């Protein structure tokens, strides 16, 4: 009785996770509001132009941004509400999901399925966190993302980056 129910629940949870790991959007995924996994990830140092490049990429009609500020956010686990998906360009899934109580299905629900027009769409995520995550999280990222995923790295001369960050912080203190 109880053991059979437990096995059935585990099997159902495993099947749901398998669906979350598939790429693309089929009818089942549309029904469960599972969008595609990102295929464009922007990584880079802070103050290297990642926000500007994000804005340019997200202006393209076939680049899909995560819906971080939409309805349902109040139902997220508290750690996810406080540290993940703060801006629509920066989910921080691969750097913070382990400690925030979210999974791949949660990540995919941030993206809607693209229209069934036959055109190619790319889901976007980006975070400076991704440049400095530990090796085991890089392995998780490689296992989770589709093989077609592209990482775009933005780097900057460290002295210039520090000067820019210092100026920005000084402005915040003075205003």
């Amino acid at each position: 009785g109880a053991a059979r129910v437990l096995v059935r629940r585990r099997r159902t949870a495993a099947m749901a996770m398998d669906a979350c790991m598939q790429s693309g959007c089929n009818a089942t995924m549309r029904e469960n509001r599972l969008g595609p996994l990102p295929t464009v990830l922007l990584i880079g140092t802070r103050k290297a132009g990642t926000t500007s490049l994000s804005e340019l990429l997200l202006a393209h009609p076939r680049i899909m941004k995560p819906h971080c500020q939409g309805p349902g956010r109040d139902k997220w686990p508290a750690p996810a509400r406080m540290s993940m998906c703060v801006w629509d360009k920066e989910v921080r899934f691969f750097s913070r999901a382990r400690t925030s109580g979210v999974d791949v299905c949660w990540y995919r629900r941030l993206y809607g399925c693209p229209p069934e027009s036959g055109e190619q769409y790319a889901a976007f995520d980006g975070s400076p966190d991704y440049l400095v995550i530990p090796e085991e999280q890089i392995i998780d990222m490689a296992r989770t993302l589709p093989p077609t995923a592209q990482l775009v790295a933005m780097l900057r001369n460290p002295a210039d980056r520090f000067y820019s960050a210092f100026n920005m912080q000084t402005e915040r203190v003075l205003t």
Side-chain angles (χ1 to χ4, degrees):
R4 193 176 298 165
V5 170
L6 183 60
V7 168
R8 192 174 310 135
R9 283 185 186 157
R10 285 185 182 158
R11 193 175 301 144
T12 303
M15 289 182 345
M17 190 53 71
D18 286 346
C20 289
M21 293 303 294
Q22 296 173 7
S23 58
C25 281
N26 60 35
T28 303
M29 291 174 195
R30 286 181 190 282
E31 184 179 309
N32 292 312
R33 297 185 343 263
L34 297 175
L37 286 164
T39 51
V40 177
L41 271 86
L42 179 59
I43 62 174
T45 62
R46 286 171 172 71
K47 308 308 300 165
T50 54
T51 299
S52 295
L53 183 57
S54 294
E55 289 170 358
L56 289 170
L57 287 170
L58 292 171
H60 193 282
R62 291 194 310 241
I63 301 283
M64 301 167 57
K65 72 178 182 178
H67 300 289
C68 292
Q69 306 303 320
R73 185 179 173 93
D74 57 328
K75 293 178 179 68
W76 295 0
R81 278 196 313 272
M82 293 186 303
S83 71
M84 296 179 68
C85 219
V86 180
W87 302 279
D88 274 343
K89 73 169 177 84
E90 196 170 323
V91 178
R92 301 176 180 168
F93 178 75
F94 295 103
S95 57
R96 301 183 185 198
R98 288 178 179 208
T99 59
S100 296
V102 295
D103 61 15
V104 176
C105 290
W106 174 89
Y107 190 38
R108 292 193 63 180
R109 284 188 185 99
L110 297 175
Y111 299 90
C113 282
E116 296 184 55
S117 64
E119 295 180 313
Q120 292 291 320
Y121 284 78
F124 174 86
D125 184 11
S127 174
D129 288 5
Y130 295 160
L131 192 63
V132 295
I133 59 177
E135 185 175 345
E136 66 270 5
Q137 289 168 286
I138 293 170
I139 292 168
D140 285 347
M141 182 187 285
R143 286 182 181 150
T144 303
L145 294 173
T148 56
Q150 306 266 323
L151 274 67
V152 178
M154 304 262 317
L155 305 174
R156 186 172 182 185
N157 176 321
D160 293 340
R161 191 199 73 75
F162 176 79
Y163 185 71
S164 177
F166 174 80
N167 283 336
M168 186 175 101
Q169 190 61 32
T170 303
E171 270 183 36
R172 284 184 181 166
V173 171
L174 295 176
T175 56

